[in-house]
Amino acid sequence: MAAKRDFYDVLGVSKNASAAEIKKAYRKLALQWHPDKNKSAEANGKFKEINEAYEVLSDSQKKQAYDQFGHAAFDPRYGTAGQGPFTYTYTTDGGGPGGFSAKGGPASGWDFGGFSDPFEIFAQFFGGGSPFGQASRMPRYGLTLSFMEAVRGCEKDVAIDGKRRKIKIPAGVDDGSRVRFEDFYVTIDVLPDRIFQRDGADVFVNQEVSLAIAILGGTIEVPTIDGEVKLKIRAGTQPGTMVRLRGRGIPRLHGFGKGDQYIRLRVKIPQRLSHKQKELINSLC
């Protein structure tokens, strides 16, 4: 069996990294190696390795166990022996390769069918019962979505305990959202987008405008989650001006309507000017 890489090395962070630093590193690597975007032969393996590392290091209890015991903290050979901080039952009744047991450990093969397993170990500290309550005894899985899949909602074919299932993700889910289905939970991880930034149901976009349009006014096209729209720029617009497009944001997951889109206008200043252009600008001032 090949030795596992250190989870901190996988994400490229130090052992003293904060939760925010760990999440930032994960999101960057997940975007780089997501099989939908990276078509290299090693992308699938890399993506699974990144998810496995994040599932442990993003959870304070699992991280503490990993820091103390390393990979052995989640090794069934140790877990069934009652060693380490967790006492749990490891099985492969999740369907063999590609399946996960609702009792805790990953089955061999590691074909997630679109899911990343969150190592559902119901901790029994020194023989005690689960501290997490009834809801946590339902198996939970992680699902990575693109920004637009989260915004618009989507259907996903996934493998649960070796069986193919189709699940519907509602529009408006956010990073960290937890969606309950009949007999399991799904925790959503949303990949960052190169154009749109999100804050709740609101969307933010940085948009460049030429110096001429900023001074004289005009019309530009700006991206929204529903496609490009025309935006009228007033004469004398200042750098950093924020424009709101009401109702152009993201559907509210637990409410009605949509958020807004905010456009930050960045005036593009020419780097090289002719002598005549300099004179014209000086005449304006």
Side-chain angles (χ1 to χ4, degrees), residues 210-223:
S210 68
L211 180 61
I213 288 180
I215 295 173
L216 302 175
T219 301
I220 62 173
E221 290 189 344
V222 296

Side-chain angles (χ1 to χ4, degrees), residues 56-217:
V56 171
L57 299 185
S58 64
D59 184 292
S60 59
Q61 291 183 350
K62 296 171 191 173
K63 182 177 183 296
Q64 183 179 3
Y66 180 75
D67 288 344
Q68 186 172 1
F69 298 100
H71 295 297
F74 307 101
D75 192 319
R77 294 172 297 177
Y78 296 92
T80 53
Q83 299 185 23
F86 299 113
T87 301
Y88 62 98
T89 302
Y90 175 88
T91 75
T92 55
D93 57 7
F100 278 85
S101 166
K103 296 182 181 179
S108 61
W110 290 62
D111 178 10
F112 299 164
F115 277 111
S116 59
D117 180 75
F119 296 91
E120 280 297 299
I121 300 171
F122 304 132
Q124 299 174 9
F125 292 96
F126 305 104
S130 170
F132 302 110
Q134 177 68 27
S136 65
R137 287 195 286 270
M138 291 181 64
R140 288 181 291 173
Y141 301 88
L143 181 61
T144 300
L145 303 178
S146 70
F147 182 88
M148 284 302 179
E149 285 177 328
V151 167
R152 296 171 178 168
C154 60
E155 286 190 351
K156 288 287 186 178
D157 286 315
V158 297
I160 300 290
D161 290 340
K163 298 178 181 179
R164 304 302 301 183
R165 297 183 63 168
K166 180 173 288 188
I167 61 174
K168 186 174 182 179
I169 305 298
V173 293
D174 201 352
D175 190 57
S177 293
R178 189 174 72 167
V179 183
R180 179 174 178 174
F181 294 92
E182 292 179 1
D183 51 1
F184 60 91
Y185 287 99
V186 172
T187 300
I188 303 297
D189 185 80
V190 181
L191 296 173
D193 189 86
R194 65 182 184 86
I195 296 176
F196 301 104
Q197 295 177 326
R198 177 175 181 173
D199 184 6
D202 295 331
V203 177
F204 292 82
V205 171
N206 295 320
Q207 179 68 43
E208 283 191 349
V209 297
S210 68
L211 180 61
I213 288 180
I215 295 173
L216 302 175

